[in-house]
Amino acid sequence: MYLDGGTDEILLPKRYVPAGLKLDDEITVFIYHDNDGRLIATTANPVAKVGDIAMMEVADTNPHGAFMKWGIMKDVFVPISHQEKRMKKGDKRLVRLFIDEKTGRVTATEKIDKYLSNYELSVAEREAVDVLVYQKTDIGYKVIINSKHLGVLHFNEVFKDLEIGEKLKGFVKHIRPDNKIDVSPGAIGYSKIPDEESRILLFLKENNGYLPYNDKSDPEVIHAYFGMSKKAFKMTLGALYKKRKILDSKLHFPKEYFECLNRLLNNNILTLKK
């Protein structure tokens, strides 16, 4: 099928035509140039778009550069002059996509630092952002925020090892006077709690309704057992208590749970196993 591109018609190859698509229907597509310079449309999702920074795999190389797997029928070229070190087939590298002024083609570069700046920020505190792990440091992970800014995700905010190029959803926790940015993973504040509530209740069920932790427990212990910060843990306990799913600030199921359990036992509906 051909799509209306204004001044030009854009080919949508048959393999990407959704079943039932008719003339005058509207469809969302990604558009790129093929090797002959023609505009092609696809319903496939590319690994990245122009302006994005992403981890991409080297599909092949030649004396002039390398080709990165783009997730569509076409690969993206990385000239040797845009490589930090010579790429080999199978390598995975962080690259940024841009339009080459000479060719008008989408091109990739490993030299991404010049595209990152905290001089003028486009984000604010408590704002949700896309986070890409860039480097590991002594205090945490240097991350790329929205493909524009650099920030830090401190070790006490994460509970597993992160891979370079890993993508996360996060929010801006703090912006310092020198425009350095601290970020946290996940959603902000109480919007994080539902998943953490489910996690705590699951642990309770697996431990017969009791766990020896409360809001006085050491942060390191909370991190190790629940995989969350002490602050998030306390917020979650408060929410569970308000819903009467735990007793006081301790991790006990309420008495109704045990009354129901006793009725099931007495009526031979349930048996206990060690």
Side-chain angles (χ1 to χ4, degrees):
M1 286 188 161
Y2 286 92
L3 308 182
D4 181 5
T7 57
D8 298 306
E9 291 182 334
I10 303 171
L11 176 66
L12 177 65
K14 186 175 181 179
R15 71 172 68 183
Y16 296 117
V17 176
L21 189 68
K22 304 182 300 296
L23 292 178
D24 297 325
D25 284 351
E26 293 188 353
I27 184 174
T28 299
V29 295
F30 179 75
I31 297 173
Y32 64 97
H33 287 99
D34 67 7
N35 292 332
D36 296 321
R38 297 174 300 181
L39 287 176
I40 302 293
T42 177
T43 52
N45 292 316
V47 174
K49 301 183 290 295
V50 171
D52 289 347
I53 297 171
M55 184 71 77
M56 298 177 71
E57 183 178 344
V58 179
D60 203 357
T61 63
N62 67 21
H64 306 289
F67 297 89
M68 314 291 287
K69 293 182 180 180
W70 201 1
I72 58 177
M73 290 178 63
K74 182 180 174 63
D75 297 327
V76 178
F77 185 60
V78 190
I80 289 179
S81 60
H82 284 274
Q83 298 179 21
E84 293 290 355
K85 63 178 182 179
R86 195 66 177 263
M87 293 180 172
K88 303 187 299 295
K89 184 176 181 179
D91 284 352
K92 292 184 177 180
R93 304 284 186 89
L94 271 180
V95 295
R96 183 185 187 274
L97 301 192
F98 68 99
I99 300 292
D100 184 87
E101 293 182 355
K102 293 182 179 179
T103 64
R105 304 289 184 90
V106 177
T107 308
T109 178
E110 271 195 291
K111 299 179 179 182
I112 60 180
D113 283 346
K114 65 180 181 180
Y115 296 102
L116 304 172
S117 172
N118 286 30
Y119 182 70
E120 291 186 4
L121 297 181
S122 61
V123 297
E125 289 187 355
R126 304 177 65 81
E127 182 177 333
V129 292
D130 291 320
V131 177
L132 179 71
V133 180
Y134 188 28
Q135 296 171 355
K136 191 172 184 178
T137 71
D138 292 336
I139 60 173
Y141 295 93
K142 184 184 290 187
V143 296
I144 297 171
I145 302 167
N146 291 350
S147 294
K148 296 179 180 179
H149 309 304
L150 286 172
V152 175
L153 179 58
H154 292 270
F155 284 132
N156 63 354
E157 294 282 349
V158 292
F159 314 106
K160 64 172 185 175
D161 289 333
L162 300 178
E163 300 291 335
I164 303 302
E166 188 170 343
K167 295 181 178 180
L168 308 169
K169 292 293 183 181
F171 65 92
V172 177
K173 182 178 181 180
H174 180 60
I175 297 177
R176 304 178 186 275
D178 57 0
N179 275 7
K180 291 182 179 178
I181 304 173
D182 293 331
V183 298
S184 290
I188 191 168
Y190 280 90
S191 60
K192 293 176 66 176
I193 287 180
D195 287 341
E196 290 162 345
E197 283 185 16
S198 300
R199 193 184 316 169
I200 288 178
L201 292 176
L202 176 62
F203 288 153
L204 275 171
K205 289 178 182 179
E206 292 176 346
N207 290 274
N208 298 319
Y210 171 75
L211 288 170
Y213 306 107
N214 55 45
D215 56 8
K216 305 298 183 185
S217 299
D218 290 338
E220 293 79 9
V221 175
I222 299 301
H223 287 166
Y225 193 85
F226 295 98
M228 66 181 74
S229 69
K230 177 71 173 287
K231 181 179 179 181
F233 180 72
K234 292 174 69 174
M235 291 169 66
T236 308
L237 289 189
L240 289 171
Y241 175 67
K242 288 179 181 178
K243 296 177 182 178
R244 307 305 301 166
K245 292 186 177 181
I246 61 172
L247 295 176
D248 301 322
S249 62
K250 297 180 179 179
L251 288 174
H252 291 271
F253 278 128
K255 64 179 181 180
E256 290 82 2
Y257 169 84
F258 296 102
E259 290 173 353
C260 178
L261 184 62
N262 285 329
R263 286 196 300 271
L264 293 172
L265 290 169
N266 292 334
N267 290 314
N268 295 321
I269 298 174
L270 184 70
T271 58
L272 290 179
K273 295 176 66 177
K274 290 185 179 181

